[in-house]
């Protein structure tokens, strides 16, 4: 089967029931998405499939027919995504384990809501858990990224 990840087409010989997360990490060496709960409840494994944030631990790769983008694919070291820049600016990460999933959720959210309220940010990010409890900094970073994406 073919799988496009971060704009690279891969031909993979894999069981279609294998979770997308395992294909990304174990077969393709894309390690940005993390294994957290394995139940699609913590968000550490969040990636974009056709621009929509999904939990890669619970999506069978055979069900994926659109391009996949991981944290490695939304920006480059010399051209970070607005969310990545805001995360650095606000020093969001502590242990960092959940951060790729947090940023992928934020990026997908901001693609549909360019001027979010605090309540909308909290709701959008509520499915991503951070054991370091950096939620106030996450909210601030999302607001900064939104402003930067709007050119404000």
């Amino acid at each position: 089967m073919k799988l496009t990840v971060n704009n690279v087409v891969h031909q993979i010989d894999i069981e279609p029931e294998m979770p997308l997360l395992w294909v990304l990490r174990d077969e393709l060496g894309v390690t940005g998405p993390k294994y957290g709960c394995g139940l699609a409840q913590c968000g550490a494994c969040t990636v974009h499939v056709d621009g929509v944030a999904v939990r890669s631990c619970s999506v069978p790769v055979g069900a994926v027919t659109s391009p996949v983008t991981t944290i490695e694919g939304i920006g480059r070291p010399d051209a970070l995504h607005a969310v990545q820049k805001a995360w650095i600016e606000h020093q969001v990460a502590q242990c960092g384990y959940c951060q790729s999933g947090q940023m992928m959720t934020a990026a997908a959210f901001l693609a549909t809501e360019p001027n979010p309220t605090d309540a909308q940010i909290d709701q959008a990010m509520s499915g991503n858990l951070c054991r370091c409890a950096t939620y106030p900094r996450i909210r601030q970073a999302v607001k900064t990224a939104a402003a930067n994406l709007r050119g404000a």
Side-chain angles (χ1 to χ4, degrees), residues 37-131:
C37 66
L39 302 169
Q41 297 190 8
C42 75
C45 66
T46 303
V47 299
H48 296 174
V49 175
D50 201 21
V52 177
V54 300
R55 307 296 196 241
S56 64
C57 72
S58 63
V59 175
V61 71
V64 178
T65 58
S66 298
V68 175
T69 305
T70 69
I71 191 69
E72 293 92 340
I74 66 168
R76 300 185 321 269
D78 62 335
L80 295 176
H81 186 280
V83 170
Q84 294 169 314
K85 289 179 184 175
W87 245 247
I88 293 168
E89 179 181 337
H90 292 281
Q91 295 291 294
V92 173
Q94 287 192 3
C95 84
Y97 196 80
C98 70
Q99 298 305 304
S100 64
Q102 298 274 2
M103 286 187 274
M104 295 305 287
T105 297
F109 168 62
L110 293 175
T112 62
E113 181 52 67
N115 195 16
T117 65
D118 285 352
Q120 288 172 315
I121 294 169
D122 292 346
Q123 175 62 34
M125 302 303 296
S126 66
N128 287 75
L129 304 179
C130 174
R131 66 183 180 186

